[in-house]
Amino acid sequence: ALETAAGRRALSKAYGLFAAALAFLVVVIALAAQLGLNETVIAFLVIAFALVTSAVIGVGARTLSLTEFYVAGRGVSAGFNGMATAAAFLSGGGLATIVGAFFAGTAAGLAVTAGWTIGFVLLAVLVAPYYRKSGAVTLPDFLAVRYGNPLLRVAGVVVLLVSSFALLPAAIAAASAIVRFFLHMRPDVSLAVVVATLLLSSLAGGMRAVTFVAGAQVILVLLAMVVPATLFSAESFALPLPQLTYGFALDANAGSDAIGLLAGRGAPLGDLSGVNLLALAATLALAVVSLPHVVARSGTATGMASARRSVAWALAIVAAVTVTAPAIAAFARSAILDNVVGVGLDELPVWFFAFGRAGLIETCGVAAASAADIGTTCGAGTVINGLDASQVAVSGEALVLGFADLVGLPYVGSAPIAAGLRAAALSTAGAGLGAVTAALGHDVYARMVNRRATAGRRLIVSRLALIAAVALAAAIAATAPGEAIAFAVYTPALAASGFFPPLILGLWWERTTWLGALAGMVAGFAFALFYILAERAGVPSGFAVAALVSLVGPRPSENRLAVLAAIRRPNRDPILEDHAA
C-alpha cells in the first residue's frame, strides 16, 4: 500500500528493478545487434517490453475502492506523486515542443522553459496544497466546494471535458504512429495495440493504476531524452555531459543558414518574437496551473505539504528534460547540416526520406518522400548541388524520434527513444483519461444525476465512461489524426482561459462570488474557444469579467468565506471532507 513506508520502499525497489531490467535489455540487444539482429526485432523487443510492463502494472493495481480509483487513496508520497505529475505533463508532443523550440532559436526555447518553470512554481505555491486540503476529486469539484453553487460544477465539467478529452485522440494518434513507424505495422493494428495498452493500464485501477504506470513511464521518458544525447556527447567530445558540450556544436553551426521548423506541430513556434514569446511563456505557465489532469495529481498526495513537495519533484524531472533539450537540438542541427545540406540527392541518408514519407521532414514545402520528388519540387540544380538549408524544414518529432539516426548512433539507440516517446504520449493519455473519467463518474453521475448511487454503481459507471472515452478518442485518432493533434496544441490556452481566473481568484480574493467566477469562466473559455489562436486575451478577459461581476453583486456569504478559510488553513478541518467517497 502507498500509505505505508514499507509499501513505498517496495515500490522504490520495483521501479529500480524496472530501470535495471530495461538497461540490461538494451545492453543485451546492443550486443545482439552487433551479431546481426534485425532492426525490426530490436524495436519490437524494447517497445514490447515497455507496453507489456505498463499493462501488467495497470492490471496489478486494480481496485474496488472508490477513493483509490479516483484519487489513489490520497496516499501517494511526494516523490512518487512528482514522478506521476511529470509523466502526466511530459507528453510526446511536449518533448517535441521543447526540442523544436530550441531548434527554432534560443529565445523560443527559453520562452517554453520559462513558461514550464514558472507554471510549476505557481502550482506549488498558489494552488496544489489548497486543492489537496479541499478534498476535491476534480477541478469542477473544487469550484463547487469553494463557491457552493452547482452551476460552477457544470461549467467546470464542460471546460474539463473539452481541454482534457482533446488530448486523448492526439496522444493515441501519436503513440500509434510511433509503434507503426518502428514496427512497420498496419495503422489499424498499431492503433489496436495502443488502445489495448491504455485500457489495461487504467481500466481496473483508475488513478491508482495510472499512478503506478506513470512511475515506470517517466523512467522511460528520462532514458529516451538523456541517454542518447549523453552517448553522443561522450563519443564526439569525450565528455558524457551534453548540457556542457553542445556549445561546441553551436560554434560549429555559427554562421550557417537556418533550417526551418515545421510550424503547428507541438506548439505554434513559427515566427515568434517580442510580445509573442512573452505570450507563449505566459500561456504555458498558466496552463500548468490549470490543466485538470496536472492539478488532479495534487489531490492524490498525502497532505498539503506533500502536495507542494510533489510539484517540486515534478519540476526537477521536467528540468532534467529541459536542460537536455538544447543539446539534442544543437546536435541534430549539426548532423542535418553535415549530412543533408549541400549533399547530392543520391547521397542523402535513408532516414531523411523515411521521416519525409511520414510527413516529418519537408523540402521546398513538400514532404521529402524521394530524391525524384525533391528534384521536381526544388529544381534540377539540387540533384548535383544538393539542398540549401532554407529549403529544408523538420518537425520537432523528427528531431526527438530520429535523434539516434540523425547523429549516427547505432539503431539500438532508436528503440529506447521510441519506447520513451510512446510512454510519454500514453502517460498523458492516461492522466487525461483519469480526469475525464472522474468528471463523468463523480461530477456528472454522482453529483448531478444520482446522488444516492452506491460506491459500486459509481465504479461501474466510471469504468463504462472510461471505455466510452477511449473508444471515441480512438475513432477520432483513426479518422482525423492530424486534426486531433492540431486541436490539442491549443488545449493549454483553453484550460487556462476557463480555469485559471476562478481558481486563483477563488483562493486569493475573498470577494469573488460564485456568479463572478461563473461569468469569468464562461467569458474566458468562450473567448479562447472562439479565437482558438488568441491565447493572449482569453485569461485576461476571464479575470476582468470575474472581478467585475463579483464587485457589482452581493458579497460572498459567511459560509463561503468559512470554506475558503478552511481550505487555506494547513491543519485538518471538519468543514471539509473527502469528496471521493
Side-chain angles (χ1 to χ4, degrees):
L2 286 173
E3 295 84 353
T4 65
R8 288 191 288 270
R9 285 194 298 269
L11 194 58
S12 297
K13 292 179 181 178
Y15 286 143
L17 289 173
F18 171 78
L22 179 63
F24 179 75
L25 176 64
V26 172
V27 171
V28 170
I29 292 176
L31 294 175
Q34 297 297 318
L35 300 176
L37 186 65
N38 184 272
E39 291 183 350
T40 302
V41 175
I42 292 175
F44 175 81
L45 291 175
V46 176
I47 294 176
F49 174 80
L51 289 171
V52 171
T53 301
S54 297
V56 169
I57 293 175
V59 174
R62 60 190 179 277
T63 182
L64 295 177
S65 166
L66 202 61
T67 304
E68 291 280 358
F69 190 86
Y70 283 150
V71 288
R74 300 197 189 276
V76 187
S77 66
F80 294 131
N81 208 41
M83 293 173 67
T85 303
F89 180 75
L90 288 173
S91 67
L95 299 177
T97 293
I98 186 65
V99 173
F102 278 105
F103 190 87
T106 303
L110 292 177
V112 174
T113 302
W116 287 5
T117 303
I118 294 172
F120 276 103
V121 172
L122 292 177
L123 179 63
V125 174
L126 299 181
V127 175
Y130 310 104
Y131 180 88
R132 172 62 183 88
K133 176 65 185 300
S134 73
V137 175
T138 64
L139 263 178
D141 197 32
F142 173 83
L143 296 177
V145 171
R146 163 60 180 90
Y147 294 105
N149 191 286
L151 291 179
L152 269 298
R153 189 188 300 275
V154 175
V157 167
V158 173
V159 177
L160 184 148
L161 291 180
V162 172
S163 57
S164 290
F165 179 80
L167 296 173
L168 294 181
I172 291 174
S176 177
I178 292 169
V179 173
R180 180 173 67 252
F181 185 84
F182 278 89
L183 300 185
H184 308 293
M185 289 181 172
R186 297 201 320 267
D188 56 337
V189 176
S190 64
L191 182 65
V193 169
V194 169
V195 169
T197 304
L198 183 58
L199 285 173
L200 289 172
S201 61
S202 58
L203 181 61
M207 183 63 82
R208 174 183 169 86
V210 168
T211 300
F212 286 153
V213 171
Q217 288 173 330
V218 82
I219 293 172
L220 285 167
V221 172
L222 289 176
L223 289 176
M225 287 292 290
V226 176
V227 173
T230 301
L231 291 176
F232 179 78
S233 177
E235 178 184 287
S236 302
F237 305 105
L239 182 64
L241 290 173
Q243 298 83 1
L244 299 180
T245 60
Y246 79 92
F248 297 114
L250 291 177
D251 289 340
N253 300 339
S256 302
D257 293 334
I259 300 170
L261 179 74
L262 292 182
R265 300 188 67 97
L269 296 172
D271 299 325
L272 291 181
S273 61
V275 176
N276 289 327
L277 287 172
L278 181 62
L280 174 63
T283 299
L284 293 175
L286 301 186
V288 174
V289 184
S290 309
L291 285 170
H293 63 280
V294 175
V295 177
R297 296 300 328 176
S298 302
T300 63
T302 56
M304 294 180 70
S306 178
R308 181 172 282 136
R309 290 196 302 271
S310 70
V311 178
W313 278 106
L315 178 57
I317 295 171
V318 172
V321 172
T322 57
V323 298
T324 308
I328 294 176
F331 295 155
R333 178 183 294 276
S334 182
I336 294 173
L337 288 172
D338 291 341
N339 300 318
V340 173
V341 176
V343 176
L345 297 188
D346 58 342
E347 299 177 359
L348 288 173
V350 175
W351 56 259
F352 187 78
F353 298 114
F355 285 108
R357 287 189 293 271
L360 302 180
I361 294 180
E362 292 183 358
T363 53
C364 301
V366 179
S370 66
D373 291 340
I374 295 175
T376 301
T377 56
C378 297
T382 58
V383 176
I384 299 175
N385 300 322
L387 292 162
D388 294 331
S390 60
Q391 295 175 312
V392 180
V394 301
S395 66
E397 292 94 326
L399 298 173
V400 179
L401 191 61
F403 179 76
D405 290 325
L406 266 65
V407 301
L409 290 176
Y411 183 80
V412 71
S414 297
I417 294 176
L421 290 179
R422 191 277 321 163
L426 285 189
S427 63
T428 298
L433 185 60
V436 170
T437 300
L440 294 175
H442 175 75
D443 291 298
V444 176
Y445 180 70
R447 290 292 184 262
M448 300 180 193
V449 177
N450 186 3
R451 296 184 65 88
R452 296 184 178 182
T454 63
R457 186 178 293 273
R458 290 165 65 181
L459 272 176
I460 292 174
V461 170
S462 296
R463 286 185 169 126
L464 290 176
L466 188 151
I467 294 172
V470 171
L472 179 58
I476 296 174
T479 56
E483 290 78 0
I485 293 174
F487 185 77
V489 168
Y490 299 103
T491 55
L494 292 173
S497 297
F499 280 127
F500 191 78
L503 182 61
I504 295 301
L505 289 177
L507 281 171
W508 299 106
W509 189 39
E510 294 182 352
R511 186 66 174 81
T512 312
T513 64
W514 73 265
L515 187 58
L518 179 63
M521 284 186 69
V522 173
F525 183 72
F527 192 97
L529 188 61
F530 187 75
Y531 299 99
I532 193 66
L533 301 181
E535 301 96 330
R536 291 170 293 173
V539 175
S541 64
F543 263 105
V545 173
L548 179 62
V549 175
S550 294
L551 287 172
V552 299
R555 294 181 60 86
S557 67
E558 292 299 323
N559 183 50
R560 288 300 99 200
L561 295 177
V563 169
L564 176 58
I567 290 174
R568 289 177 177 176
R569 283 193 293 269
N571 58 299
R572 299 184 65 86
D573 212 306
I575 198 171
L576 301 173
E577 61 178 346
D578 186 345
H579 300 281

